[in-house]
């Protein structure tokens, strides 16, 4: 099977978001400070590892479909759907919200392209299902750091994160 231009473009959108998620996760990993530093530092490694693995899976799937992935830094910077990560040191509390938002932004892109991907190639859509499942699990786990029992995500996080979690 050869990917259509639309399938290739949809997978490219997923790819750049996953690459950006990986890079932003490392930026957070290196620059967080505060309460529960070690736990969050290790959680960020899990997120980075998942994003890196999923980016590779996406690019290799693209090649299997005779599409050409573009993971160059300029392409990622120009076309990512993720908000840029702030410069400098970030408190662990703020980093949790920032990373959770980016996880939901990445899964949002996957959900946005899913139906078109599924129409053309259900096998590739199955990959997206697995990515969404794991990234949303990681979003839940990292966001739990800032929540208290019986507190909805919307009350414990920024409006942008709460909105992204419901849109995803």
């Amino acid at each position: 099977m050869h990917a259509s231009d639309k399938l290739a473009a949809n997978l490219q959108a997923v790819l750049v978001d996953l690459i950006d998620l990986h890079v932003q996760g490392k930026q957070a990993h290196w620059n967080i400070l505060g309460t529960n530093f070690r736990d969050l530092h290790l959680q960020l490694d899990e997120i980075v590892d998942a994003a890196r693995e999923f980016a590779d899976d996406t690019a290799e799937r693209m090649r299997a479909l005779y599409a050409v992935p573009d993971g160059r830094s300029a392409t990622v910077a120009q076309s990512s759907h993720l908000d840029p990560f702030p410069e400098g040191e970030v408190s662990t509390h703020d980093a949790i919200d920032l990373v959770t938002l980016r996880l939901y932004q990445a899964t949002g892109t996957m959900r946005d392209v899913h139906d078109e991907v599924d129409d053309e190639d259900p096998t590739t859509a199955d990959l997206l299902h697995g990515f969404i499942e794991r990234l949303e699990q990681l979003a839940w786990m990292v966001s739990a750091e800032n929540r208290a029992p019986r507190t909805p995500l919307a009350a414990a996080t920024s409006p942008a994160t709460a909105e992204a979690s419901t849109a995803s």
Side-chain angles (χ1 to χ4, degrees):
M1 173 180 171
H2 286 69
S4 68
D5 290 344
K6 185 63 175 173
L7 178 58
N10 283 334
L11 292 177
Q12 179 65 30
V14 170
L15 177 64
V16 297
D17 283 4
L18 288 167
I19 293 169
D20 198 17
L21 181 61
H22 157 242
V23 172
Q24 288 197 39
K26 280 315 256 186
Q27 182 68 19
H29 175 86
W30 297 321
N31 290 299
I32 58 168
L33 297 169
T35 306
N36 296 326
F37 164 82
R38 181 165 170 70
D39 290 338
L40 182 57
H41 189 76
L42 296 173
Q43 276 186 306
L44 288 167
D45 273 338
E46 286 182 74
I47 292 166
V48 166
D49 289 347
R52 183 183 303 132
E53 177 185 341
F54 298 160
D56 189 54
D57 290 347
T58 302
E60 289 182 359
R61 182 66 185 156
M62 290 175 74
R63 292 306 300 145
L65 298 173
Y66 299 94
V68 179
D70 186 352
R72 295 173 299 157
S73 57
T75 301
V76 173
Q78 185 177 49
S79 55
S80 176
H81 299 94
L82 278 57
D83 291 350
F85 201 82
E87 183 179 341
E89 295 176 337
V90 178
S91 75
T92 51
H93 184 274
D94 291 344
I96 288 164
D97 195 35
L98 292 166
V99 169
T100 301
L101 173 61
R102 280 141 188 87
L103 285 161
Y104 284 128
Q105 288 173 331
T107 59
T109 297
M110 292 174 201
R111 288 181 180 282
D112 287 345
V113 304
H114 175 272
D115 288 349
E116 289 179 352
V117 170
D118 193 34
D119 287 345
E120 186 168 342
D121 184 25
T123 301
T124 301
D126 286 347
L127 285 176
L128 296 181
H129 295 153
F131 300 167
I132 291 167
E133 178 184 16
R134 180 64 175 139
L135 294 177
E136 287 180 347
Q137 179 188 43
L138 290 167
W140 157 64
M141 293 175 86
V142 74
S143 71
E145 294 281 345
N146 283 352
R147 293 183 58 211
R150 294 176 294 286
T151 303
L153 182 64
T157 190
S158 73
T161 303
E163 182 180 329
S165 73
T166 59
S168 169

